[in-house]
Amino acid sequence: MKPYYILAILLLSLSCKTTQNLPDPLEAGWEGHKVCKVLQDTKKQRILKCTFPPNVGHEKHYHKPHFGYTLAGSTFQITDATGTRTIPVKTGVTWSKSKISQHEVLNVGDSTAVYLIIEPK
């Protein structure tokens, strides 16, 4: 087996191990309370609606590849592999991730934020 195949397998195995102990976005909450609910769950996709009033966040969790849409924006403190930063998130902003990712967020703004998370299966 080629060395780079072995390296790829090891890296994939490590990323799976780091997410095995973390909840997914539906399971994760904030201080014992759920922040996401299922709007649709089919064979092809799961759609979550996540709501964050001011001073409410989302405990550290992982995401499978997904697409996101901001129904209502606010300002968030985000902690991930690159560190902690504060960013304004405007209504109507979209994003997508093609890899497994993990983070923790906190709404530090003064308005309630609402997101749709669309996860292909």
Side-chain angles (χ1 to χ4, degrees), residues 2-42:
K2 304 266 187 202
Y4 51 89
Y5 286 131
I6 294 170
L7 179 60
I9 291 168
L10 286 173
L11 289 174
L12 181 60
S13 130
L14 286 174
S15 74
C16 291
K17 286 182 182 175
T18 60
T19 60
Q20 284 178 348
N21 296 325
L22 291 177
D24 76 1
L26 180 61
E27 297 166 331
W30 187 254
E31 297 178 349
H33 300 281
K34 294 289 184 186
V35 294
C36 296
K37 67 179 183 177
V38 176
L39 294 182
Q40 183 183 64
D41 195 355
T42 68

Side-chain angles (χ1 to χ4, degrees), residues 19-86:
T19 60
Q20 284 178 348
N21 296 325
L22 291 177
D24 76 1
L26 180 61
E27 297 166 331
W30 187 254
E31 297 178 349
H33 300 281
K34 294 289 184 186
V35 294
C36 296
K37 67 179 183 177
V38 176
L39 294 182
Q40 183 183 64
D41 195 355
T42 68
K43 291 180 186 178
K44 293 186 178 188
Q45 70 182 7
R46 179 173 81 166
I47 301 174
L48 303 176
K49 180 179 179 184
C50 304
T51 304
F52 304 96
N55 300 310
V56 171
H58 211 182
E59 68 191 19
K60 189 171 184 180
H61 61 283
Y62 78 94
H63 285 274
K64 293 179 182 177
H66 66 281
F67 172 83
Y69 179 77
T70 307
L71 294 169
S74 191
T75 301
F76 277 83
Q77 180 179 348
I78 301 172
T79 303
D80 61 16
T82 65
T84 300
R85 61 200 177 282
T86 301

